[in-house]
Amino acid sequence: MKVIEVMTQGAILLGLGEEHILLETASMEQESELLNNKNVKSLFHLCKYAFQELCTNYIPVVESVALNSVDCKIEIKRLLNFIRVQNVKKNGETVKYKIINRNIVLEEDGEYEIEYLTYPNINSMFEEIDFLSNFSEDVIVCGLCTYFSLAHGMFDEFKEFHETYTEKAENL
């Protein structure tokens, strides 16, 4: 599924007729022009936020990376779109660690396999998002509509979307 597909469905549910048409007929070459539209830009940024929130609270996306420690530490900023550590291994064996001052603190230096929860790095509306197969499309669209309606002062719509979104997300 592409990000723009989620945005298009959100525009339909939110009653954004002009934006719906723009998104439905858009090509990749028009992306920067599309982002000049205030609502399209908002849909894109809030869509990224909805993905992050789903990954943080409902269905984790796990990434694994091999990193070397320096002074028995691995800086968390080296982990792309970090949410939290799930597991740390050295030579295939789980090891003890602590999180102190945005560092993973280990007992000794060496190469470690860090498994951590993450969210996708989205740079374009036309990106295909692999992790979306973990979610029902309607949950993602409801999340987007929830955040859009709140951000734009549409409080009655927010209440409806939020109720539907949390109910659907909790049943994932």
Side-chain angles (χ1 to χ4, degrees), residues 42-136:
S42 184
L43 283 168
F44 181 55
H45 290 291
L46 293 168
C47 198
K48 293 192 300 185
Y49 181 78
F51 296 150
Q52 180 179 345
E53 201 261 346
L54 284 167
C55 291
T56 302
N57 296 319
Y58 297 104
I59 297 182
V61 175
V62 180
E63 183 70 40
S64 183
V65 63
L67 295 171
N68 288 309
S69 62
V70 175
D71 297 327
C72 298
K73 293 185 256 184
I74 296 174
E75 294 177 315
I76 288 176
K77 69 181 180 183
R78 295 175 63 193
L79 306 174
L80 184 63
N81 297 335
F82 173 81
I83 296 173
R84 69 180 165 273
V85 173
Q86 184 163 341
N87 200 355
V88 178
K89 293 182 179 181
K90 184 175 183 180
N91 299 323
E93 299 290 323
T94 301
V95 297
K96 293 181 184 179
Y97 67 91
K98 293 180 183 179
I99 305 288
I100 302 174
N101 295 329
R102 303 284 299 154
N103 290 296
I104 301 169
V105 179
L106 305 149
E107 293 178 357
E108 62 184 21
D109 277 330
E111 182 177 86
Y112 291 88
E113 186 74 23
I114 311 294
E115 289 180 359
Y116 67 100
L117 303 184
T118 186
Y119 56 91
N121 192 33
I122 300 167
N123 297 307
S124 168
M125 301 182 229
F126 293 91
E127 282 185 48
E128 189 77 37
I129 305 297
D130 296 341
F131 92 96
L132 291 178
S133 62
N134 294 329
F135 301 102
S136 166

Side-chain angles (χ1 to χ4, degrees), residues 23 26 36 50 61 102 117 141 148 150:
L23 292 167
N36 289 329
V61 175
R102 303 284 299 154
L117 303 184
V141 173
F148 186 92
L150 180 62

Side-chain angles (χ1 to χ4, degrees), residues 144-157:
L144 170 59
C145 292
T146 298
Y147 297 120
F148 186 92
S149 57
L150 180 62
H152 292 269
M154 301 161 55
F155 299 114
D156 291 336
E157 292 86 346

